[in-house]
Amino acid sequence: MKTIVLVHGFWVTPRSWEHWIDRYQRAGYHVIAPAYPGFEVEVEALNADPTPIAEVTTPAIISHLESVVGALDEPPIIIGHSAGGAFTQVLLDHGFGAAGVAINSAATEGVLVTPPTQIKSTFPVLKNPANRHKAVGLTPEQWKYTFGNTFTEEESLDLYQRYHVPASGRILWDSVLANFQPGPQDIHVDYHNDNRAPLLFVSGGEDHLMPPSVQRSNAKHYKSSKTITEIKEYEGMGHLLPAQKGWEKVADDVLAWAVEHAGWPAATHGPRTAI
């Protein structure tokens, strides 16, 4: 059975993939949604004690994801959301995966586009350097702007209560500082890597945290003519695209793209929507 690996982002946990896990399993795939080191407990437990979030590092996350993907019998399709999209790019650059999809991806090193909505979205963490040593949560109002701008007030609050956990101040601060430090940093990729698996960027047109301009800039950084790098934008979709109305079509679209570019046989059963 072919394997799909789903990589979550910050301020959420693998629970944010719950709908996609079920859909891809019913389509006949083995699906793994690994947690970051220390995130293996439920959302409620992480909110009660966010110590693992404050202590986690980018190298530890990448090393853990590489151990999970590297232990599989054959390269999987890797799909990452937000920070998980950046980790997906790193995994592909390191030789893992048959194909990858980065959804509303955080930028890899060297992407300098910072739209005003992104500055506002990350301000709760970046407003204070002391947050570098903390796990920093969002208020329901901050979540509504950053994750829930395409949902109603009630829907956004429900999603906040189900998915929200604090994010690592250390990693967010390090990602900002990386572009001002010499040499490769934690989220470095080789944009000229000819051997990287095919990569698709998926962008939500209404995403405040990682807007389309960030996705377009990140995609344009890839220079190799021997690999496939594409971008697809979904109008009306926000940052929490995996939970937004219409997510089924996006899930099917990206799976169809990844299956084709991984050279896998097309799924013959399970849920499908028109593409």
Side-chain angles (χ1 to χ4, degrees), residues 3-71:
T3 299
I4 299 171
V5 177
L6 302 174
V7 185
H8 68 90
F10 295 154
W11 283 297
V12 297
T13 71
R15 182 186 287 181
S16 62
W17 286 118
E18 57 186 340
H19 304 305
W20 291 51
I21 292 171
D22 177 67
R23 190 169 187 84
Y24 286 164
Q25 286 177 334
R26 287 191 289 118
Y29 295 97
H30 176 225
V31 184
I32 302 172
Y36 300 159
F39 286 53
E40 296 86 358
V41 298
E42 291 293 345
V43 167
E44 293 77 11
L46 272 177
N47 278 311
D49 179 11
T51 301
I53 299 174
E55 294 180 346
V56 75
T57 65
T58 298
I61 294 172
I62 293 173
S63 177
H64 175 64
L65 294 175
E66 289 183 346
S67 70
V68 171
V69 176

Side-chain angles (χ1 to χ4, degrees), residues 70-115:
L72 299 172
D73 292 335
E74 61 180 337
I77 287 171
I78 306 173
I79 302 174
H81 172 243
S82 197
F87 294 137
T88 296
Q89 295 181 61
V90 173
L91 289 172
L92 263 59
D93 182 51
H94 289 185
F96 296 93
V101 181
I103 301 173
N104 289 339
S105 180
T108 43
E109 189 176 327
V111 178
L112 301 178
V113 174
T114 52

Side-chain angles (χ1 to χ4, degrees), residues 200-264:
L200 173 66
F201 284 88
V202 170
S203 178
E206 301 302 320
D207 186 351
H208 282 172
L209 182 57
M210 300 296 168
S213 59
V214 174
Q215 309 309 312
R216 290 192 290 268
S217 178
N218 202 154
K220 288 179 180 177
H221 273 66
Y222 285 96
K223 304 301 183 185
S224 173
S225 60
K226 298 181 179 179
T227 59
I228 296 171
T229 306
E230 298 181 3
I231 184 167
K232 183 175 179 61
E233 183 172 331
Y234 288 85
E235 294 296 335
M237 302 296 275
H239 190 69
L240 198 54
L241 183 154
Q244 186 174 340
K245 183 179 180 181
W247 67 266
E248 296 93 339
K249 184 178 187 310
V250 182
D252 290 351
D253 283 359
V254 302
L255 179 60
W257 185 96
V259 165
E260 177 186 354
H261 288 83
W264 291 3

